[in-house]
Amino acid sequence: MKQFLMGSAAIIAVAIPGAAFAQSTGSQDFEDTIIVTGAKVAGGVGGVVLPDTTKAKGVLTQEIIAKQGSGNSILNAINLIPGVSFQNNDPYGSAGGTLNIRGFGPDRVSLTFDGMPLNDTGNYAIYSNQQLDPELIEEVNVNLGSTDVDSPTAAASGGTVNYRSMNGSDDFKVTMVGAAGDYDFFRLFGLVETGVFTPFGTKAWFSASTTRNDNVFNNFGVIDKQQYNAKVYQPIGSNGDFISIAGHYNANRNNFFGSLPLRIDTDQGRVVGPNSSNRFPMTKDERFYTLAACTTSAARPGLADVANSCGTVFDYRFNPSNTGNIRINSRFTLADGLVLTVDPSYQYVKANGGGTATANEGFYDLNPASGAANVQNVTGYFGSTPYFGRDINGDGDRLDTVTVLAPSQTQTHRFAVISSLRYDINEDHRVRFAYTFDHGRHRQTGEVGLVGVTGEALDVFPVDNAQLDVNGATLQKRDRLSYAILNQFSAEYLGKFLDEALTVQAGVRAPFFKRKLDNNCFTSSASGTTQCFGTDGVIPANASTLNPAWAVPQKRTYKYDKVLPSIGLNYKITPEASIFWNYSKGLSVPGTDSLYNAFYFARNTDGANPAPETTDSFDLGTRYATNGFQAQLSLWYTNYKNRLASSYDPELNVSVYRNLGKVEKYGIDGSISYTPIEYFTVYAFGSYLKSEIKDDIAIGVLNGTTVYAPTAGKRESGAPVYTLGGRAEVNVEGVTVGIQAKRTGKRYVYDTNLPTYRGTTASPVEIYGAAAPAYTLVDLDARFSLARWGAKDTWFQLNVSNLFDKFYVGGFGGNLNQSITLTSGAYGNPGFVQIGSPRAVSGSLHVSF
């Protein structure tokens, strides 16, 4: 396979529109007008575009995005692109989801918005429920296995997803959308486009939306979301120069839900519910479970009260977020053939997630082995317990344990700029030089909050009213300050040869990553367990002496840099057909969580210095296009080194983040779009993925012998073996009916590809199979337009997601293996997965004037 993909072949391909589909303004400007010659198919076919570039790409335009349901996440829409797998946690896109591209999880996919990076600066996570309202998205494009040379990503082994906001109409326009549906779904969206309102061509738009729906799996919890956006666009001259300034703000308030342990055994009285001892549903009739209302017990003065369980179940937890950004995109022609682009941005994030803790009103004995005569009482957050040293439930004593809110809080301030200078050597050759800067201040804390008499949080952001100990110090389970800094230099060449039949695109990225980390807590295990004395708290001088296994609070700086070349070819066999080949080297830098875990080890040891992941990716593909037909087929291979994951180190006798060696992936992606007659369009796509882990991974030592998980030769977990899908659409006299389906192949739960068990290795009882079964989802959309009656942009739309109410395992990331206590052979608890989103019917009215 590797030799085949790296070789050459004569295959047919697509030639499509002259618009560039890239991330930053510089990348878009560089590719525009030079790559595509020959056949032009404006907008692709049915809203699906296959750009005729040197890379494997797929693009969706507003034409098809708008048909995916009012307010739904843009990541749900790209499920129509081969190689992409996304599981939505709820029908309306406001509760998050799980993304996978070519077998790489969301922390290995770069997500950008008008070229601005959106992945979390700490762990590179993607938050699908915080994206731009879909009505405002002009297009979304997916690079499979590659990225642009000026991209500010720290983790793009699996590819990139970029969506671009619209510039707005040249005429004044007002758009209103109202939507309602199952689970008390209600959404309002409003957009005002000013049109051109100055002699200089200035135009702007402003929008707002609000969305609400109930928890779809039980009688408790809601999703509440509001979003505000604005953009001002100023053209400069008549040669394409411009400057635009845009702002975005999104606020989510939603409960966790739908995550249950993957087990189906019922013989020990387990039922579907929100606790870790419950089981995953066996049928769709069991998806909905009822949570009884609860009230906390009153505190009793002078008695040792025990913490209430009211409010501790998973579904009571909130996952609030406030996110905002300011984006500037600009293009300036400095001289004939010399163009400067500059895209600065600023982002703010305030979010948390997590549950409750059992707090102690007393003190923690830092020296328990010393006996009663030498007790060393302190306050702080030790293990999973906060110790306040004061009365926190108001009964006048310090004898109690109390349930408190204890989420993991994150606040981020991020500044970035992507700049590029392009020079046209002549009509057929151009070069550009780019500089990218990305600076993220990432503050991770774990303040404690209070819960009310009904078990619900009094404030979903404990950081705003943090609880203090008896000395006035803030108690928290973590206390970190991180700076994620990137300085990147890149260069790119693009040229046409052989009478413009051959396009060559070659580039090189030279990123310099710096991670400045400051941990104010002790680290007591290689898995990152912290022991915190509290912000502004007094740390006893003998704390590390009494606990020599604790790594002291400290600062560390990590640096990663690498030269990342890429080269691509696109050869036009005919005006309609072409072949393309691309190679790119990728880099994924360890996230802050794994780096903080490494604080447990001395600075000069292997455990303290996680290696970055690198990939070598190859694509060989074909495209073909005529005015009503387009098709693409791509074969790909990725060699994946230094995979970062948790495993056991037999020398240190602990679990650590370590290099798991080599993983190989390869597969095939393809799609066909066809409009045989004016009123009918059909689209089909599919992909197949094969991954192979090369080595067995050490998980522990038993009686002096290293024990390995049998991972050699196995597939990586969490990724579907294959996907198949399609969409058919009929449009007659203003009535449009579309039906789309996608089958997602089985996904292994563990990298060992073994079932889940309970009991022991000597007498195992299987409680779930090796893989989550394949499933097929069908969605329906229907639109009735009033254009024939003079209302051009007014229509009613019906959407039905999961039309046949298919029950399936939703999103999960996969694990190395099911945990095992080696001395007893006892199996640990199974991992949690999301329940698949159920059927939902919604209707929306879109009015523009």
Side-chain angles (χ1 to χ4, degrees), residues 410-425:
T410 298
Q411 295 188 77
T412 301
H413 296 272
R414 187 174 190 177
F415 298 87
V417 62
I418 305 174
S419 58
S420 177
L421 186 65
R422 186 200 90 205
Y423 176 65
D424 293 344
I425 300 171

Side-chain angles (χ1 to χ4, degrees), residues 123-139:
N123 59 13
Y124 313 137
I126 288 174
Y127 304 104
S128 63
N129 59 336
Q130 299 171 10
Q131 305 310 311
L132 181 66
D133 282 330
E135 293 90 347
L136 305 173
I137 298 176
E138 181 178 299
E139 67 180 32

Side-chain angles (χ1 to χ4, degrees), residues 640-703:
Y640 188 4
K641 297 178 181 178
N642 294 334
R643 179 186 172 206
L644 186 66
S646 177
S647 64
Y648 184 80
D649 190 317
E651 295 181 0
L652 299 173
N653 196 32
V654 291
S655 293
V656 297
Y657 279 86
R658 57 179 287 140
N659 180 353
L660 298 187
K662 183 178 181 180
V663 177
E664 289 187 341
K665 302 173 185 281
Y666 56 86
I668 183 171
D669 306 320
S671 66
I672 298 175
S673 302
Y674 183 40
T675 303
I677 58 176
E678 180 182 357
Y679 307 111
F680 179 66
T681 300
V682 62
Y683 168 62
F685 62 93
S687 63
Y688 172 79
L689 164 69
K690 170 66 175 175
S691 67
E692 183 178 349
I693 304 170
K694 294 300 182 180
D695 303 310
D696 288 336
I697 307 304
I699 58 172
V701 170
L702 182 62
N703 299 325

Side-chain angles (χ1 to χ4, degrees), residues 739-824:
I739 188 166
Q740 58 193 43
K742 183 169 184 179
R743 182 164 181 81
T744 299
K746 67 179 181 180
R747 294 162 290 162
Y748 284 99
V749 179
Y750 302 111
D751 292 337
T752 56
N753 299 176
L754 294 175
T756 301
Y757 300 100
R758 75 163 190 259
T760 66
T761 54
S763 56
V765 177
E766 183 176 320
I767 59 176
Y768 200 84
Y775 64 92
T776 302
L777 298 183
V778 180
D779 299 334
L780 174 71
D781 58 270
R783 178 183 294 185
F784 179 71
S785 172
L786 300 182
R788 63 188 300 181
W789 290 281
K792 179 182 178 182
D793 293 319
T794 299
W795 65 75
F796 174 78
Q797 182 167 302
L798 174 73
N799 283 91
V800 185
S801 60
N802 194 359
L803 177 64
F804 299 109
D805 202 21
K806 175 67 177 178
F807 168 68
Y808 63 101
V809 175
F812 68 96
N815 291 286
L816 172 64
N817 69 303
Q818 186 180 1
S819 62
I820 301 173
T821 302
L822 297 181
T823 53
S824 64

Side-chain angles (χ1 to χ4, degrees), residues 190-435:
L191 168 67
V192 176
E193 299 173 76
T194 64
V196 176
F197 63 91
T198 72
F200 312 106
T202 312
K203 58 184 178 180
W205 56 260
F206 310 88
S207 74
S209 69
T210 180
T211 304
R212 187 188 185 281
N213 60 272
D214 288 341
N215 189 330
V216 299
F217 295 117
N218 59 53
N219 59 315
F220 183 86
V222 297
I223 297 171
D224 198 342
K225 174 180 177 180
Q226 55 182 302
Q227 187 174 130
Y228 306 91
N229 292 280
K231 188 173 187 178
V232 179
Y233 181 84
Q234 176 63 63
I236 303 173
S238 58
N239 58 359
D241 290 351
F242 72 95
I243 183 170
S244 71
I245 302 175
H248 167 85
Y249 179 77
N250 186 91
N252 270 64
R253 300 292 183 270
N254 53 282
N255 293 87
F256 284 108
F257 64 84
S259 182
L260 292 174
L262 195 56
R263 62 189 311 157
I264 59 174
D265 51 326
T266 61
D267 57 325
Q268 297 190 348
R270 293 186 177 91
V271 296
V272 177
N275 299 310
S276 59
S277 60
N278 295 129
R279 61 174 177 81
F280 193 79
M282 295 176 66
T283 69
K284 66 182 181 182
D285 296 329
E286 296 180 308
R287 289 177 302 193
F288 192 89
Y289 49 92
T290 301
L291 295 176
C294 66
T295 303
T296 59
S297 301
R300 302 170 299 172
L303 298 176
D305 296 314
V306 178
N308 288 276
S309 61
C310 180
T312 60
V313 298
F314 183 79
D315 303 76
Y316 272 71
R317 304 175 186 179
F318 269 86
N319 184 207
S321 64
N322 295 340
T323 59
N325 64 64
I326 298 173
R327 314 177 309 282
I328 298 177
N329 298 96
S330 62
R331 179 187 190 273
F332 306 98
T333 300
L334 305 181
D336 188 23
L338 186 64
V339 175
L340 173 69
T341 60
V342 183
D343 294 352
S345 63
Y346 164 74
Q347 295 182 70
Y348 170 72
V349 175
K350 179 182 180 181
N352 70 46
T356 57
T358 300
N360 195 310
E361 292 184 333
F363 293 90
Y364 177 77
D365 184 3
L366 194 62
N367 191 16
S370 64
N374 293 294
V375 170
Q376 189 166 354
N377 285 332
V378 297
T379 58
Y381 205 124
F382 303 101
S384 58
T385 303
Y387 291 83
F388 280 86
R390 69 170 180 86
D391 176 26
I392 55 176
N393 62 5
D395 65 355
D397 61 44
R398 297 189 302 185
L399 305 173
D400 312 322
T401 57
V402 181
T403 297
V404 294
L405 187 68
S408 299
Q409 179 74 39
T410 298
Q411 295 188 77
T412 301
H413 296 272
R414 187 174 190 177
F415 298 87
V417 62
I418 305 174
S419 58
S420 177
L421 186 65
R422 186 200 90 205
Y423 176 65
D424 293 344
I425 300 171
N426 54 42
E427 290 184 357
D428 294 328
H429 304 275
R430 61 176 54 171
V431 294
R432 70 162 171 154
F433 302 93
Y435 170 71

Side-chain angles (χ1 to χ4, degrees), residues 453-744:
V453 294
T454 62
E456 297 183 68
L458 296 181
D459 189 334
V460 296
F461 284 116
V463 66
D464 293 340
N465 186 24
Q467 297 300 300
L468 310 179
D469 70 5
V470 66
N471 301 312
T474 301
L475 287 191
Q476 49 191 352
K477 62 183 178 182
R478 63 178 187 175
D479 187 2
R480 306 169 175 174
L481 175 61
S482 312
Y483 290 91
I485 303 169
L486 167 66
N487 285 280
Q488 178 175 274
F489 302 89
S490 55
E492 191 170 17
Y493 163 80
L494 195 152
K496 295 187 291 186
F497 300 88
L498 304 179
D499 197 23
E500 301 188 355
L502 175 65
T503 298
V504 178
Q505 189 169 1
V508 61
R509 298 169 55 203
F512 296 85
F513 293 100
K514 180 185 291 186
R515 298 292 183 259
K516 298 173 62 176
L517 310 180
D518 185 357
N519 189 1
N520 296 315
C521 298
F522 288 80
T523 305
S524 59
S525 76
S527 59
T529 306
T530 56
Q531 314 293 337
C532 302
F533 286 87
T535 300
D536 302 322
V538 178
I539 301 176
N542 64 341
S544 57
T545 304
L546 294 174
N547 298 276
W550 292 4
V552 300
Q554 58 190 283
K555 299 179 181 181
R556 290 186 183 179
T557 297
Y558 291 87
K559 295 181 180 180
Y560 298 94
D561 55 79
K562 198 170 187 65
V563 175
L564 305 172
S566 62
I567 185 170
L569 308 174
N570 186 28
Y571 182 72
K572 299 192 70 63
I573 303 170
T574 70
E576 297 80 21
S578 61
I579 60 173
F580 65 93
W581 175 87
N582 184 76
Y583 162 75
S584 62
K585 192 169 190 68
L587 174 72
S588 291
V589 174
T592 55
D593 287 340
S594 60
L595 293 177
Y596 276 117
N597 292 358
F599 276 35
Y600 181 70
F601 305 103
R603 292 174 185 264
N604 59 347
T605 61
D606 290 341
N609 297 282
E613 300 170 350
T614 59
T615 54
D616 293 285
S617 297
F618 303 86
D619 275 272
L620 176 64
T622 168
R623 300 190 186 100
Y624 183 84
T626 61
N627 280 330
F629 178 86
Q630 64 181 19
Q632 178 171 276
L633 184 69
S634 177
L635 302 170
W636 61 272
Y637 168 85
T638 298
N639 183 14
Y640 188 4
K641 297 178 181 178
N642 294 334
R643 179 186 172 206
L644 186 66
S646 177
S647 64
Y648 184 80
D649 190 317
E651 295 181 0
L652 299 173
N653 196 32
V654 291
S655 293
V656 297
Y657 279 86
R658 57 179 287 140
N659 180 353
L660 298 187
K662 183 178 181 180
V663 177
E664 289 187 341
K665 302 173 185 281
Y666 56 86
I668 183 171
D669 306 320
S671 66
I672 298 175
S673 302
Y674 183 40
T675 303
I677 58 176
E678 180 182 357
Y679 307 111
F680 179 66
T681 300
V682 62
Y683 168 62
F685 62 93
S687 63
Y688 172 79
L689 164 69
K690 170 66 175 175
S691 67
E692 183 178 349
I693 304 170
K694 294 300 182 180
D695 303 310
D696 288 336
I697 307 304
I699 58 172
V701 170
L702 182 62
N703 299 325
T705 302
T706 303
V707 179
Y708 291 87
T711 53
K714 304 298 179 61
R715 289 178 180 265
E716 290 181 290
S717 57
V721 173
Y722 68 90
T723 58
L724 293 172
R727 176 179 172 86
E729 181 176 302
V730 177
N731 189 337
V732 180
E733 297 296 328
V735 177
T736 303
V737 178
I739 188 166
Q740 58 193 43
K742 183 169 184 179
R743 182 164 181 81
T744 299

